[in-house]
Amino acid sequence: MNKLTSSYSPVHVIGGGLAGSEAAWQIAEAGVPVILHEMRGVRGTDAHKTDSLAELVCSNSFRSDDATSNAVGVLHAEMRLAGSIIMRCADLNQVPAGGALAVDREGFAEAVSAAIAAHPLITVLREEIRGLPPKEWDLAIIATGPLTAPDLADAIRAETGADALAFFDAIAPIVHADTIDMDICWHQSRYDKVGPGGTGKDYINCPLKQEEYNAFVDALIAGDKTGFKEWEGTPYFDGCLPIEVMAERGRETLRHGPMKPMGLTNAHNPSVKPYAVVQLRQDNALGTLYNMVGFQTKLKYGAQGEVFRMIPGLEKAEFARLGGLHRNTYINSPTLLDQSLTLKSRAGLRFAGQITGCEGYVESASIGLLAGRFAAAERKGASPAIPPVTTAFGALLNHITGGHIVSDDEPGKRSFQPMNVNFGLFPPLDPGALTRPEGAKRFRGKEKASAKKQAMASRALSDCATWLDKNLLIGGAATR
Ligand SMILES: Cc1cc2nc3c(=O)[nH]c(=O)nc-3n(C[C@H](O)[C@H](O)[C@H](O)COP(=O)(O)OP(=O)(O)OC[C@H]3O[C@@H](n4cnc5c(N)ncnc54)[C@H](O)[C@@H]3O)c2cc1C
């Protein structure tokens, strides 16, 4: 404890995973002391195998490192600009993996553990925190991840409400709206119902003929599936049955469930009633992403692409995320957290990492980075500076704290699901922002999609640099 040499009182960070380690680093680099509470060493989780901080529980990949046209690559670049310890240790422990950033997992976790242990303003305590932070910890961050220990999870649930904490994610695939063929699909809500804030045309509908429906059901049943891990159990509850399990229960089950055609008229062919309909619902306020209603699945990713592109109108669909069903503790952030990741019901208490509803190592660490900066700013008497939504930081933060549209037509169902960073979370480009290849009158093939990604990536990095320059309160020259 004699490490604390600052005049500020400490910020407490609970959980020394990807998010907690990054949060602690950012706070300490801002000159504010940190106490990092990590339970491994005293109590393990079902997935972690070591006591190292920032252990990677599964793959050793941080995914694409392409900052010119890949959203996670842009996030890497923004984190490097912001002095991320996770990115620094990843870069130092890189192993060859083509365009991806993959790491030697042991070297990486040891490097993060060593950097944190050596920081004069960080103290690591190996202990399980069993309840919400005591009141005397006036600034704290909960970064306990998808496998938060049960006592703390119970305490979070008691504070936020039973519906606000989920233990599994049941994710339906999310599609980039501009890849849906609107010559085949049409906008309409079932029975043209105008719900609160709706227009009667809120859904995109894909029509299936009988033979298309039968082929689709056969493909679902035959498709490769992943199993649950031994410790996950089989969480079929709450109306979140995987679509292929429904298909196995009877050929007509889906037609009476998520694919029912009732109350819908094909705008392109009004006299012919579709045999079945797949509905997609707007997923983000920007209107760039749509989720496939009721299509949570355990199909393997490769099989999902093949099977879901059999649906008329989705032949060329690009998926912002594929479906899944996993053990995952996370809170309903859009209703519970403010823009700076603080629990609305309790000043000074922030959440970070996967428990906020982001998904992935890099995303978890980046939300830790932001929570750390926000907490340090607050400790120093400044207002947390929110990154612009045009940056990867801001786009992901916006998804977590407000960008997602909460479904109001399925009472009792939570629609917020964990998400990787992707360009569908970024605001559209200004008109005229795309420049055609020199001498060309128009874009060919995939040139336009690729130019769009490049323009979004370059806007993000430029806006991130400006945001960091304006907010040198933390890090400054030391971390840039
Ligand atoms: C089985 C599994 C596999 C995954 N595979 C991948 C993958 O391959 N690629 C990918 O990008 N993402 C993957 N993820 C998702 C996610 O990116 C990781 O879980 C990531 O580690 C999340 O970072 P985090 O910091 O939020 O949580 P974690 O890294 O899990 O860190 C949370 C920390 O909090 C500690 N803790 C928990 N409760 C307490 C408590 N009460 N008191 C004190 N400490 C506590 C834990 O011991 C842990 O060290 C996977 C998730 C799971 C569950």
Side-chain angles (χ1 to χ4, degrees):
M1 295 292 262
N2 55 6
K3 275 187 153 202
L4 309 182
T5 54
S6 162
S7 56
Y8 296 109
S9 48
V11 175
H12 292 261
V13 177
I14 307 173
L18 276 302
S21 300
E22 184 67 61
W25 183 261
Q26 293 288 327
I27 297 165
E29 285 288 275
V32 174
V34 185
I35 301 182
L36 178 58
H37 309 259
E38 168 52 54
M39 72 176 183
R40 281 178 295 120
V42 181
R43 175 185 182 139
T45 78
D46 288 318
H48 291 87
K49 303 220 161 23
T50 73
D51 294 344
S52 299
L53 301 178
E55 179 184 334
L56 304 177
V57 284
C58 187
S59 134
N60 66 334
S61 174
F62 281 28
R63 318 203 307 280
S64 172
D65 200 30
D66 173 6
T68 63
S69 56
N70 185 292
V72 78
V74 176
L75 192 54
H76 290 173
E78 292 184 7
M79 290 174 72
R80 289 183 182 114
L81 278 178
S84 160
I85 188 65
I86 293 295
M87 290 310 298
R88 187 190 301 174
C89 295
D91 288 337
L92 287 172
N93 288 280
Q94 190 167 1
V95 296
L101 172 58
V103 302
D104 173 316
R105 69 175 71 242
E106 280 173 23
F108 165 74
E110 279 165 18
V112 176
S113 304
I116 296 276
H119 201 295
L121 289 178
I122 304 179
T123 303
V124 180
L125 299 181
R126 297 284 177 168
E127 60 181 1
E128 178 186 352
I129 303 299
R130 292 170 181 270
L132 290 187
K135 289 274 190 270
E136 54 277 19
W137 298 5
D138 66 331
L139 284 183
I141 299 174
I142 296 181
T144 44
L147 306 173
T148 295
D151 287 356
L152 179 57
D154 285 347
I156 295 169
R157 193 159 45 165
E159 171 77 19
T160 58
D163 290 345
L165 184 77
F167 291 99
F168 283 88
D169 50 32
I171 296 170
I174 294 176
V175 179
H176 288 279
D178 58 2
T179 64
I180 300 173
D181 187 346
M182 294 309 291
D183 290 336
I184 295 177
C185 306
W186 74 99
H187 281 279
Q188 186 188 10
S189 304
R190 205 179 291 282
Y191 298 111
D192 304 307
K193 199 171 136 201
V194 184
T199 63
K201 292 182 187 295
D202 302 330
Y203 291 76
I204 292 180
N205 301 281
C206 311
L208 286 90
K209 298 187 188 116
Q210 184 168 5
E211 58 275 21
E212 289 166 338
Y213 174 80
N214 283 330
F216 178 69
V217 168
D218 289 341
L220 270 181
I221 293 171
D224 257 2
K225 292 150 192 108
T226 46
F228 284 99
K229 298 218 167 64
E230 201 182 299
W231 46 268
E232 286 187 300
T234 308
Y236 294 156
F237 54 82
D238 223 2
C240 72
L241 218 54
I243 183 118
E244 62 280 2
V245 173
M246 276 188 259
E248 278 162 6
R249 291 191 172 176
R251 184 154 289 276
E252 292 295 291
T253 307
L254 289 174
R255 272 191 79 228
H256 295 284
M259 292 176 75
K260 61 176 177 278
M262 274 77 86
L264 296 166
T265 305
N266 186 345
H268 302 294
N269 195 0
S271 58
V272 178
K273 185 88 191 152
Y275 189 72
V277 172
V278 172
Q279 287 204 299
L280 293 102
R281 179 172 49 222
Q282 189 173 332
D283 197 81
N284 62 344
L286 296 168
T288 50
L289 299 175
Y290 275 71
N291 65 64
M292 298 176 69
V293 180
F295 268 54
Q296 54 279 351
T297 178
K298 289 291 280 180
L299 283 180
K300 285 192 173 158
Y301 282 177
Q304 287 188 43
E306 279 170 30
V307 176
F308 296 146
R309 288 195 187 101
M310 290 171 71
I311 297 168
L314 300 188
E315 294 87 346
K316 295 193 175 150
E318 282 185 25
F319 295 92
R321 81 155 298 161
L322 288 161
L325 197 53
H326 304 278
R327 168 83 189 279
N328 188 7
T329 310
Y330 67 101
I331 58 170
N332 197 10
S333 295
T335 57
L336 295 176
L337 302 184
D338 74 8
Q339 265 195 310
S340 82
L341 298 162
T342 303
L343 195 62
K344 289 175 189 165
S345 64
R346 204 166 144 176
L349 178 58
R350 289 187 164 78
F351 282 80
Q354 183 128 337
I355 197 169
T356 63
C358 60
E359 167 85 27
Y361 300 146
V362 184
E363 288 84 345
S364 298
S366 72
I367 295 300
L369 183 149
L370 293 177
R373 285 182 164 241
F374 296 158
E378 195 173 336
R379 174 61 85 225
K380 290 180 151 188
S383 300
I386 309 299
V389 70
T390 47
T391 61
F393 280 144
L396 189 60
L397 181 67
N398 181 53
H399 165 70
I400 292 169
T401 61
H404 171 78
I405 295 212
V406 178
S407 152
D408 50 27
D409 51 359
E410 290 175 277
K413 273 204 169 182
R414 297 171 32 138
S415 57
F416 177 63
Q417 294 288 351
M419 178 87 100
N420 287 122
V421 68
N422 66 79
F423 283 122
L425 301 179
F426 292 61
L429 296 163
D430 293 334
L434 286 190
T435 42
R436 285 190 292 276
E438 226 175 60
K441 286 199 178 130
R442 59 189 158 80
F443 290 105
R444 281 174 205 209
K446 294 192 168 172
E447 277 174 4
K448 188 167 185 187
S450 139
K452 209 169 122 184
K453 287 179 186 169
Q454 285 175 21
M456 281 187 168
S458 115
R459 178 182 68 177
L461 291 178
S462 150
D463 289 358
C464 182
T466 308
W467 172 68
L468 287 166
D469 280 342
K470 279 196 198 146
N471 296 288
L472 283 180
L473 167 75
I474 296 176
T479 59
R480 291 287 314 277

